[in-house]
Amino acid sequence: MRKTQQHTQAYYIRQLPRAVAFVDTTLHVSLASDRMVECFGYGKRDLKGESVHALFDNISDKWLKQMHAALRGKAKNRGRELVQTKNGAQWIEWVLVPWYDDHENIIGLILEVEDITTTVVQDNAIMEEAETLRTLIDHLPLNVYIKDKNSKRILANQAEVAFCGYHFEDEVIGKDDYDIFEKEDAQESRMEDIEVMTSMRPIIDRETTIHRKGKPAMTVLSSKIPLRSENGNVIGLVGFSHDISNRKKKEEELHKLINLSAEQNKKLIDFAHIVSHNIRSQSANFSMLLSFLNEEGDEKEQDKIIGMLTDASDHLLDTIDNLNDVVTINKSRDYELVDVNLGESLARVRMEMEQLIEKNNALIHQEIPDGLTVKGFPSYIENLFRNLISNAIKFKHPERNPFIQICATQTPGSIFLRIEDNGIGIDLEKDGEKLFGMYKTFHETPESRGLGLFRTKNEIEAIGGRIKCNSEPGIGTVFKVYFHDIR
Amino acid sequence: MTFAKSVYIIDDDPIIVFGLRKLLSQIGFSGGVTPFCNGKTALDDIERSLTQKKRMPDVIFLDINMPVMDGWQFLEAFINIPMDKTIRVNIVTSSIDPADRYKAARFQSQTDHPISYNNKPIKKKEIQEIMEVA
């Protein structure tokens, strides 16, 4: 009867839909389900008497310990194991429970095994994929981040972490732009985020200047793409940005260069026009006067014409001399610049112009730091002072004595010279374009030749400086000169 | 042949003033010739003559490059002065820059005063044509 009962139980157990084995205390199989035989039985019809070592090759110490623990009564444990079976390497998930007899004595253990190879392989593949993705994101030469609906970062790659001023992603997670940017930029960025998330339209490659707290400004190209959940609701955004400050700088340098060459080119064309115009006007006079001379019978008139021809010839010589001066200035770029002391240059010019200054009751007030120098040529700097002082006196206001203020200040990278007078001034709206032009004069003063400011501007530019003018008719004129400070 | 009666010469070069006077007398012009050394003095004179209802010039010979107020600045102001009379303005310049010729044409499109354009040295024949048309 007992035997039959056991037999019946064994019959049921064999039919279990899972791989189950009853193993005795020596770890040999007493009974196994058909499923067990089928999966791990190496083609055997029955596993009775087989050692578990025969079923699962290379059983780990850890698993073996667990088996012994079950034999000692440990209620239930489970684990994963990579084992060698008849099908080769397999991942299994096992469950162990003690096997009790009617009297609650442990007579072995019950082992349930499930082949989870497919799941593990899939999991591994997913993990590997995730890891590859992560490596890719981390090493992209772009800042990559994901923000939630409140614009707080929930992912940041290494570049983004560094951009935010941190070392580890954990430090950046949960931070929004207010934590990282200056307030104004953060506000703008948040507005953009909202725009992207509400319109569901991405922003691509928007050029933005960013001020991070306590860091210099940076120009970036920034893209923001709305992120949706599976059901289509917006859950945040993915952002990319990269630093284009260098490119921007190079672009600006290029623009400067283009402007400079355009300016030089224009100067050259202007110069060619001036040359042709001046030489043409003198030769036109020659040709006209000579034709008169041919037809003139009256001796007195002939003398007059010859006098005029002489004048025209003198003019032509003057013109050629002036033009030659201009060419020399423009050529001086090739020579080595020297340190010119501004205070000493001004002192020399003041001494040389002493009589003119006194005769006109002109007062000169100067504020030039001792030892302040600019890179240039002494003659150019002296010409600058000579020219601006003599202009200030020549074009003094009839109702007041000339008062000229000359001051120089040094700022990082540049030296700024300001020369202000209280003369009659120039209407820059009317004559501004011509102010620094050649042979341009604005006042009916016989000694105006229209060369001074043209020459000054050319000389200042030849040593890398710039000159600008502000003026108000009846009030006075201010010339501002900027020099590069190379030190 | 009807000749102009009054001619203005606006040029800072005394040789040009001398030459134009001479050419005008050679073609038999016997009217008045008034020289101005820049655009400003000429413009002042024209404005004064208008208010005092004095005789206006029939022909103006105008240089471009001049101190104080150059030929273009003069033209700009001149064409904006309201007047019944049309005055022939003849630009006489040594500039061979085509841009100056375009500039003259642009002024012509803005005004009823006939504007012509000649290069220096101006020839007797050209003066004759200008004076006859005027």
Side-chain angles (χ1 to χ4, degrees):
Chain A
M1 170 67 203
R2 191 176 169 85
K3 195 132 186 165
T4 323
Q5 198 183 353
Q6 269 185 7
H7 190 82
T8 318
Q9 281 170 350
Y11 179 71
Y12 292 151
I13 286 167
R14 294 188 83 110
Q15 294 179 57
L16 284 172
R18 309 186 70 118
V20 178
F22 287 72
V23 181
D24 67 17
T25 48
T26 63
L27 300 182
H28 285 80
V29 176
S30 298
L31 185 62
S33 69
D34 287 344
R35 176 83 180 144
M36 186 72 162
V37 180
E38 184 191 311
C39 288
F40 305 103
Y42 291 96
K44 295 196 172 72
R45 295 196 51 204
D46 192 3
L47 295 177
K48 194 173 163 61
E50 295 283 341
S51 160
V52 288
H53 293 285
L55 293 181
F56 307 106
D57 209 4
N58 65 16
I59 290 177
S60 70
D61 289 349
K62 197 177 138 211
W63 193 19
L64 213 54
K65 266 187 195 164
Q66 296 298 325
M67 289 185 195
H68 289 295
L71 289 175
R72 286 194 305 274
K74 190 174 179 194
K76 189 178 181 182
N77 50 44
R78 59 172 68 233
R80 280 184 176 194
E81 196 81 7
L82 178 65
V83 291
Q84 209 63 38
T85 69
K86 61 162 184 159
N87 301 323
Q90 273 187 344
W91 275 100
I92 55 165
E93 191 166 64
W94 50 261
V95 180
L96 287 169
V97 289
W99 176 21
Y100 294 98
D101 66 4
D102 299 347
H103 309 291
E104 301 287 315
N105 297 317
I106 294 171
I107 54 167
L109 49 83
I110 305 168
L111 168 66
E112 190 194 323
V113 180
E114 195 185 346
D115 178 3
I116 54 160
T117 307
T118 329
T119 326
V120 170
V121 168
Q122 273 174 1
D123 283 357
N124 281 350
I126 290 169
M127 263 166 64
E128 227 169 84
E129 204 178 288
E131 223 160 279
T132 312
L133 261 175
R134 186 68 218 194
T135 313
L136 185 74
I137 290 173
D138 266 345
H139 291 88
L140 275 177
L142 284 174
N143 303 346
V144 181
Y145 56 84
I146 298 178
K147 284 175 175 172
D148 66 13
K149 269 161 101 173
N150 298 317
S151 289
K152 297 207 183 292
R153 284 170 178 71
I154 53 176
L155 177 148
N157 74 343
Q158 282 175 8
E160 172 72 7
V161 170
F163 171 77
C164 295
Y166 292 97
H167 296 289
F168 303 104
E169 188 183 8
D170 300 356
E171 299 172 293
V172 177
I173 299 298
K175 291 209 159 65
D176 59 24
D177 291 337
Y178 288 91
D179 296 317
I180 292 152
F181 303 156
E182 296 286 353
K183 197 176 165 201
E184 222 169 90
D185 288 358
Q187 262 164 356
E188 203 162 302
S189 177
R190 172 68 178 150
M191 294 307 285
E192 271 182 5
D193 291 356
I194 292 170
E195 181 198 324
V196 167
M197 288 188 285
T198 51
S199 70
M200 285 297 219
R201 269 194 304 271
I203 289 174
I204 304 291
D205 280 349
R206 180 176 286 179
E207 200 177 299
T208 318
T209 306
I210 298 254
H211 301 82
R212 290 165 298 164
K213 287 181 177 168
K215 293 206 174 111
M218 183 191 263
T219 311
V220 298
L221 273 191
S222 158
S223 302
K224 292 178 177 177
I225 295 136
L227 195 61
R228 298 169 201 242
S229 66
E230 266 173 48
N231 56 27
N233 294 332
V234 66
I235 53 168
L237 60 87
V238 184
F240 308 93
S241 68
H242 73 284
D243 179 7
I244 55 162
S245 301
N246 275 341
R247 203 174 84 190
K248 195 79 193 157
K249 211 172 129 196
K250 287 212 176 96
E251 235 171 64
E252 273 163 20
E253 277 167 13
L254 201 66
H255 269 292
K256 264 190 208 160
L257 209 65
I258 289 169
N259 286 344
L260 184 74
S261 34
E263 200 182 300
Q264 298 277 26
N265 201 27
K266 191 183 170 295
K267 251 193 197 167
L268 218 63
I269 290 170
D270 286 351
F271 183 68
H273 279 156
I274 291 166
V275 172
S276 77
H277 179 268
N278 287 303
I279 294 178
R280 268 201 107 249
S281 42
Q282 305 303 342
S283 36
N285 282 352
F286 278 129
S287 134
M288 182 181 71
L289 290 170
L290 286 171
S291 75
F292 289 159
L293 199 60
N294 273 339
E295 295 162 17
E296 193 56 64
D298 184 54
E299 211 165 295
K300 248 192 177 166
E301 197 70 3
Q302 276 178 0
D303 284 349
K304 197 174 168 189
I305 291 170
I306 286 170
M308 283 182 172
L309 273 170
T310 315
D311 283 350
S313 140
D314 287 347
H315 264 125
L316 186 57
L317 283 177
D318 262 358
T319 303
I320 289 167
D321 279 350
N322 292 340
L323 297 177
N324 195 44
D325 281 351
V326 174
V327 174
T328 319
I329 297 167
N330 284 323
K331 244 172 58 185
S332 66
R333 285 166 203 271
D334 302 339
Y335 298 111
E336 186 95 10
L337 303 182
V338 295
D339 286 323
V340 182
N341 185 307
L342 284 179
E344 288 172 12
S345 295
L346 179 56
R348 271 195 294 278
V349 172
R350 286 182 70 164
M351 199 143 62
E352 170 198 310
M353 299 178 79
E354 209 177 348
Q355 280 195 325
L356 181 76
I357 293 169
E358 268 178 28
K359 207 175 78 189
N360 287 283
N361 288 321
L363 186 65
I364 299 180
H365 172 78
Q366 76 179 75
E367 268 174 56
I368 296 177
D370 278 344
L372 185 60
T373 61
V374 296
K375 288 274 180 203
F377 301 109
S379 62
Y380 286 9
I381 303 299
E382 284 169 28
N383 275 346
L384 167 76
F385 286 130
R386 192 177 294 124
N387 202 357
L388 295 185
I389 293 173
S390 74
N391 273 351
I393 291 174
K394 202 188 292 173
F395 304 118
K396 66 180 180 187
H397 197 278
E399 286 157 24
R400 52 186 182 247
N401 286 333
F403 179 48
I404 306 160
Q405 299 178 75
I406 302 172
C407 62
T409 46
Q410 188 171 18
T411 54
S414 67
I415 288 167
F416 169 55
L417 183 67
R418 186 188 150 94
I419 296 156
E420 178 173 2
D421 69 43
N422 63 344
I424 52 178
I426 306 160
D427 185 350
L428 288 174
E429 242 169 64
K430 199 179 82 188
D431 295 319
E433 265 177 48
K434 299 195 296 184
L435 182 59
F436 294 104
M438 196 178 191
Y439 296 119
K440 306 291 187 194
T441 47
F442 311 103
H443 307 290
E444 291 171 83
T445 322
E447 60 267 51
S448 305
R449 286 195 307 145
L451 267 183
L453 285 177
F454 174 77
R455 186 182 183 133
T456 298
K457 182 176 158 69
N458 268 282
E459 288 181 342
I460 294 302
E461 284 176 359
I463 58 173
R466 279 177 302 133
I467 183 164
K468 284 184 172 176
C469 174
N470 287 332
S471 187
E472 222 176 299
I475 307 285
T477 306
V478 183
F479 283 96
K480 295 174 184 169
V481 190
Y482 304 86
F483 300 98
H484 273 303
D485 190 2
I486 315 159
R487 275 145 305 187
Chain B
M1 174 158 59
T2 52
F3 261 168
K5 298 272 183 339
S6 166
V7 170
Y8 280 11
I9 300 172
I10 312 174
D11 200 315
D12 60 327
D13 186 349
I15 296 178
I16 295 297
V17 177
F18 168 82
L20 283 173
R21 275 183 191 278
K22 201 161 181 70
L23 290 169
L24 284 168
S25 75
Q26 282 178 4
I27 64 164
F29 174 73
S30 54
V33 175
T34 321
F36 299 91
C37 63
N38 66 57
K40 183 84 177 73
T41 51
L43 195 70
D44 289 348
D45 179 277
I46 287 168
E47 277 169 346
R48 211 169 31 244
S49 302
L50 259 179
T51 50
Q52 296 174 3
K53 299 202 162 50
K54 283 193 182 162
R55 185 171 171 78
M56 300 282 276
D58 304 296
V59 175
I60 294 173
F61 288 98
L62 178 66
D63 183 27
I64 292 177
N65 278 283
M66 281 177 294
V68 186
M69 179 188 258
D70 70 18
W72 298 127
Q73 288 172 321
F74 170 82
L75 261 184
E76 185 74 57
F78 174 74
I79 63 171
N80 286 312
I81 299 175
M83 62 176 92
D84 302 330
K85 184 174 183 174
T86 58
I87 297 174
R88 186 179 180 89
V89 179
N90 186 65
I91 298 165
V92 187
T93 175
S94 43
S95 163
I96 47 169
D97 185 351
D100 284 334
R101 227 174 237 284
Y102 292 135
K103 216 166 172 180
R106 217 171 50 233
F107 272 110
Q108 179 64 89
S109 70
Q110 294 168 20
T111 178
D112 290 335
H113 301 294
I115 294 175
S116 54
Y117 189 96
N118 280 102
N119 276 120
K120 289 176 185 173
I122 192 162
K123 305 273 183 321
K124 199 191 287 180
K125 214 178 126 228
E126 289 164 340
I127 300 267
Q128 197 138 20
E129 279 164 17
I130 291 162
M131 299 304 286
E132 273 170 15
V133 178

